[in-house]
């Protein structure tokens, strides 16, 4: 990130007029890049079968998983095909010390094939925004932060490790599109104890599994990965990761959480790095 910090310093020193002009150009280019990613996301979509949830497919699942689906879905619920989210919150940009900054974001998800595009704007300094694309598309992961939407910060990680981490994110965030967690949609569940079960998802050459913990109300309380790639100096370092969700709200027959926090389990202790609220949510359903 040293090169990224030098770049940010150079951008901050620009005259106000030049900074404004770059912001306008950068915003236009970023929107164009976002549209390209969305087209790739839509190109990978495929029909969902079955089109509706049948409670009979729950019969062999671990008890806490059965309780979860019976709590958040109704029998006959149409399968979610895509989701559009709006979010706001705070994100920690520091590698060694916390550096919380406000963000807004939109996210588009497709459930078959698994994919998403997260488009975020982080207010780094007055007049200076860092835009971020975080995506999983056709089995590949994308992570690109760019000052003003023009200047890439650091060296974005590439390869299977990034793709694996992004597919983990898709699986963990399925609390917002819970029909994607059903066995008929490709998720295999393994019992752990009375409050926990492990979910496994395979997409092409990627295979991920996460530990889901359920609360007394039947809802998903937390999701944990034994090792997910954490960016350190442009490299991905396998690190225990955890997401928590709460504030469940009824939406089109489903029960979905509106607040979330994600954290790393570091040697020094738990370190949260993202806290957000869903400001709006729209789902499309199989017919």
């Amino acid at each position: 990130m040293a090169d990224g910090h030098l770049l940010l310093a150079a951008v901050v020193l620009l005259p106000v007029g030049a900074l404004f002009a770059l912001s306008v150009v950068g915003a236009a280019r970023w929107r164009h890049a976002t549209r390209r990613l969305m087209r790739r996301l839509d190109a990978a979509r495929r029909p969902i079968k079955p089109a509706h949830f049948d409670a009979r497919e729950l019969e062999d699942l671990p008890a806490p998983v059965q309780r979860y689906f019976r709590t958040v879905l109704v029998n006959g619920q149409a399968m979610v095909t895509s989701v559009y989210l709006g979010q706001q919150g705070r994100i920690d940009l520091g590698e060694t010390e916390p550096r919380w900054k406000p963000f807004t974001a939109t996210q588009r998800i497709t459930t078959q094939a698994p994919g998403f595009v997260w488009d975020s704007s982080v207010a780094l300094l007055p007049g200076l925004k860092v835009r971020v694309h975080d995506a999983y598309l056709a089995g590949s992961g994308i992570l690109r932060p760019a000052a003003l939407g023009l200047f890439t910060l650091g060296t974005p990680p590439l390869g299977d490790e990034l793709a694996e981490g992004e597919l983990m994110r898709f699986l963990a965030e399925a609390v917002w599109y819970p029909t994607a967690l059903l066995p008929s949609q490709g998720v295999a569940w393994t019992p752990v104890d009375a409050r926990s079960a492990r979910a496994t998802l395979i997409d092409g050459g990627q295979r991920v599994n996460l530990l889901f913990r359920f609360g007394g109300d039947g809802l998903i309380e937390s999701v944990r990965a034994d090792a997910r790639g954490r960016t350190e100096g442009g490299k991905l370092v396998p690190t225990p990761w955890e997401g928590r969700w709460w504030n469940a709200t009824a939406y089109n027959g489903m029960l979905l959480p509106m607040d979330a926090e994600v954290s790393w389990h570091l040697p020094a202790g738990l370190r949260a790095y993202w806290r957000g609220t869903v400001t709006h949510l729209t789902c499309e359903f199989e017919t």
Side-chain angles (χ1 to χ4, degrees):
M1 286 298 290
D3 291 342
H5 292 154
L6 289 174
L7 178 57
L8 283 175
V11 170
V12 169
L13 293 174
L14 287 171
V16 173
L19 188 61
F20 176 76
L22 286 173
S23 296
V24 172
V25 173
R29 290 188 178 179
W30 196 260
R31 286 194 297 270
H32 182 65
T34 302
R35 287 193 293 268
R36 288 202 310 268
L37 293 175
M38 294 296 185
R39 286 194 293 269
R40 289 178 59 188
L41 183 69
D42 284 331
R45 293 180 68 170
R46 58 179 182 251
I48 292 179
K49 296 180 181 180
H52 296 83
F53 162 56
D54 184 337
R56 287 176 295 182
E57 73 169 290
L58 306 182
E59 293 175 359
D60 296 327
L61 295 182
V65 181
Q66 290 195 38
R67 285 196 299 271
Y68 168 69
F69 284 124
R70 297 185 193 282
T71 299
V72 303
L73 299 176
V74 295
N75 197 33
Q77 169 71 50
M79 297 291 186
V80 178
T81 59
S82 68
V83 184
Y84 181 81
L85 293 172
Q87 301 169 332
Q88 66 180 21
R90 295 176 66 81
I91 187 168
D92 180 12
L93 299 181
E95 280 199 11
T96 56
E97 296 295 330
R99 194 157 57 100
W100 289 94
K101 300 294 180 182
F103 78 89
T104 57
T106 58
Q107 184 171 350
R108 176 91 185 284
I109 304 110
T110 57
T111 58
Q112 292 290 351
F116 66 87
V117 174
W118 190 68
D119 177 21
S120 177
S121 176
V122 183
L124 193 64
L125 295 169
L128 177 58
K129 293 182 179 179
V130 172
R131 298 182 183 274
V132 182
H133 280 146
D134 192 7
Y136 182 75
L137 300 170
S140 297
I142 295 171
L143 178 59
R144 187 196 173 210
L148 303 176
L150 289 171
F151 308 106
T152 300
L153 301 177
T155 304
L158 301 169
D160 288 344
E161 288 183 345
L162 177 60
E164 179 186 60
E166 300 293 20
L167 184 58
M168 284 183 185
R169 174 174 173 170
F170 171 88
L171 181 58
E173 292 184 351
V175 292
W176 290 320
Y177 34 98
T179 59
L181 290 170
L182 289 165
S184 63
Q185 303 307 299
V187 176
W189 290 94
T190 305
V192 175
D193 56 38
R195 294 279 294 274
S196 304
R198 191 168 289 277
T200 300
L201 176 63
I202 299 173
D203 181 49
Q206 298 297 330
R207 177 190 178 97
V208 298
N209 67 81
L210 297 173
L211 180 68
F212 283 71
R213 183 164 179 80
F214 302 85
D217 56 4
L219 301 176
I220 292 171
E221 190 174 82
S222 67
V223 181
R224 177 164 175 164
D226 296 331
R228 185 174 181 233
R230 178 173 183 256
T231 304
E232 293 183 10
K235 297 181 180 180
L236 290 176
V237 179
T239 308
W241 174 92
E242 182 177 2
R244 296 190 306 111
W245 286 265
W246 64 94
N247 189 21
T249 301
Y251 175 83
N252 274 34
M254 303 180 292
L255 202 55
L256 313 177
M258 294 293 109
D259 294 294
E261 178 182 86
V262 290
S263 308
W264 297 109
H265 286 259
L266 302 178
L270 190 68
R271 179 174 171 179
Y273 68 91
W274 189 97
R275 295 177 178 132
T277 296
V278 174
T279 56
H280 61 269
L281 182 148
T282 302
C283 292
E284 295 178 359
F285 300 92
E286 191 65 58
T287 57

